Amino acid sequence: MSSPLPNQDAEALKRARMIVAALASSTLRRPLLRDIMEAREEPRLDPHRDPTENTAQNTAEDTADSSRSKRAQYDWLARGIINEPLLRETSTQLKNLLSEDLILRVGRLDQLPAKEPERITQSQLIIRTVFQRVKPRKFLTEPELNAGLAMFVEDVALVRRDGVDSGFLDRSSDGARYALRA
């Protein structure tokens, strides 16, 4: 499946996931916050230290070195200094992804996932998004639902059927109206 997000938006989402994951993990959060607090200090390496000597000091330093190498992939953090302009830009991009004009910037999905559980999850997300965009309405006619789905995916019948078959979407007995199941 092709990525429907422009590259800059996909990068913003990737960066946001990295930040949240780092802050959510105590293994990464503690050394990350320590690096930020000691931002201006250069690492102090002891050239006389025997790396094979098994001491608590060496083990702690090795663990810190390992954590630093894991964090090296963060483009928003360098030597413990947060790249604030990059994070402000990321914040703006994330806000744009939540805006009402998102559909004007995001392409349609070329195809849905082949595996049924993944496809149904994707279909439900698309259906929920369509209904969120027409907030005051509790139901949509089939043509209205089809038009909303067509903004996101080519195969509107499959998405609609996934919604009904999974119990996510209720269809009237005559098939003319659809509503999210409460």
Side-chain angles (χ1 to χ4, degrees), residues 67-88:
S67 294
R68 277 190 197 97
S69 67
K70 288 178 186 174
R71 292 187 313 273
Q73 64 188 351
Y74 300 150
D75 61 352
W76 51 273
L77 182 68
R79 298 183 131 187
I81 300 172
I82 296 174
N83 184 337
E84 290 183 41
L86 180 63
L87 290 185
R88 273 194 290 280

Side-chain angles (χ1 to χ4, degrees), residues 145-158:
L145 180 59
N146 288 346
L149 296 175
M151 291 190 298
F152 298 98
V153 68
E154 188 172 321
D155 194 347
V156 297
L158 178 61

Side-chain angles (χ1 to χ4, degrees), residues 14-67:
K14 178 181 171 185
R15 186 174 301 112
R17 281 193 303 264
M18 284 191 307
I19 293 167
V20 170
L23 294 176
S25 163
S26 61
T27 305
L28 293 176
R29 180 178 54 245
R30 287 184 191 113
L32 179 67
L33 294 175
R34 185 175 50 244
D35 282 357
I36 291 169
M37 297 304 290
E38 300 170 353
R40 305 255 184 246
E41 282 186 35
E42 289 296 317
R44 292 182 210 119
L45 298 177
D46 183 358
H48 305 292
R49 177 179 83 119
D50 180 1
T52 61
E53 186 179 328
N54 190 12
T55 65
Q57 173 76 20
N58 288 348
T59 305
E61 289 175 8
D62 293 342
T63 302
D65 289 343
S66 172
S67 294

Side-chain angles (χ1 to χ4, degrees), residues 156-177:
V156 297
L158 178 61
V159 172
R160 193 180 62 239
R161 189 169 46 250
D162 281 346
V164 172
D165 291 349
S166 69
F168 187 74
L169 197 58
D170 283 329
R171 178 175 50 204
S172 64
S173 59
D174 64 359
R177 297 182 351 169

